[in-house]
Amino acid sequence: MAAPPRPESVAMLEKLVAALTAKGILTEEEIAERQAITDRASPETGARMVARAWTDPDYRRLLLSDGTAAAEAMGVTMAGAPPLGVLEDTPTRHHLVVCTLCSCYPRAVLGYPPHWYKSAAYRARAVRDPRGVLAEWGTHLPDHVEVRVVDSTADYRWMVLPMRPAGTEGWSEERLAAIVTRDCLIGVALPRAG
């Protein structure tokens, strides 16, 4: 759990907001709406995007070529957010997302990052020993599968399009989305049919 903000930080934020509103750059309502949008974001959004990509080839192409446009096609407001890239897992390549500097994370489609994603231990070990990190999550990949670690940055955010599990043919988008977890979208886990 994060420490409460220091009084001097709150005072500085209040001064900044007052200056921006006084200059007509933004309003209190715009700030409240942006905060509400961020608070509503959750991994279920990313899961719905993956499920749709698994069932709709046109959407899959859009998702892989322009993740931001694909998110907006699902009703996600991406205004002001860094571009969203989507990494496609294949039978020979698995992606693992990390922010090596802090906690850059595609909040618009995954919500707030989990505490472990922000930890120095995850950030360092994901780069140094990605298979070891995956194993700790119970994700064991065959030796022939390349693990590609991708750095999410302030300029570009990433999520993973995992492979659709065998045995899910004929499933609805809703049922498919239910097996795609936040951890699948980061790459530490795989979706399971059951």
Side-chain angles (χ1 to χ4, degrees), residues 6-176:
R6 297 184 317 230
E8 59 270 21
S9 297
V10 172
M12 188 182 313
L13 177 61
E14 288 172 352
K15 287 179 184 178
L16 174 64
V17 169
L20 292 171
T21 55
K23 291 183 183 245
I25 295 172
L26 55 80
T27 66
E28 292 278 348
E29 292 78 21
E30 290 169 325
I31 293 171
E33 175 60 21
R34 187 74 221 155
Q35 185 173 4
I37 288 168
T38 301
D39 288 345
R40 284 192 304 266
S42 75
E44 287 79 20
T45 302
R48 286 187 301 109
M49 292 168 67
V50 166
R52 184 167 176 196
W54 284 345
T55 60
D56 179 343
D58 291 333
Y59 183 78
R60 179 188 198 90
R61 279 189 289 281
L62 176 63
L63 183 66
L64 293 171
S65 66
D66 187 345
T68 299
E72 289 174 343
M74 296 288 287
V76 177
T77 302
M78 297 296 287
L84 174 65
V86 179
L87 306 158
E88 182 179 22
D89 284 350
T90 69
T92 58
R93 178 177 285 168
H94 179 84
H95 293 92
L96 179 62
V97 178
V98 64
C99 175
T100 57
L101 294 177
C102 54
S103 60
C104 295
Y105 189 77
R107 291 178 188 210
V109 295
L110 298 186
Y112 289 102
H115 69 281
W116 55 263
Y117 182 85
K118 300 183 281 184
S119 73
Y122 173 74
R123 294 185 345 242
R125 290 199 52 239
V127 173
R128 190 177 62 243
D129 180 23
R131 284 187 182 272
V133 169
L134 292 173
E136 289 175 11
W137 285 88
T139 303
H140 302 279
L141 302 171
D143 290 339
H144 74 275
V145 176
E146 170 196 7
V147 177
R148 182 173 173 228
V149 178
V150 179
D151 197 4
S152 198
T153 68
D155 297 325
Y156 214 88
R157 305 297 164 88
W158 296 99
M159 72 174 240
V160 175
L161 172 59
M163 290 190 305
R164 183 175 177 167
T168 61
E169 300 78 14
W171 286 21
S172 67
E173 280 187 31
E174 183 178 307
R175 188 171 177 196
L176 288 168

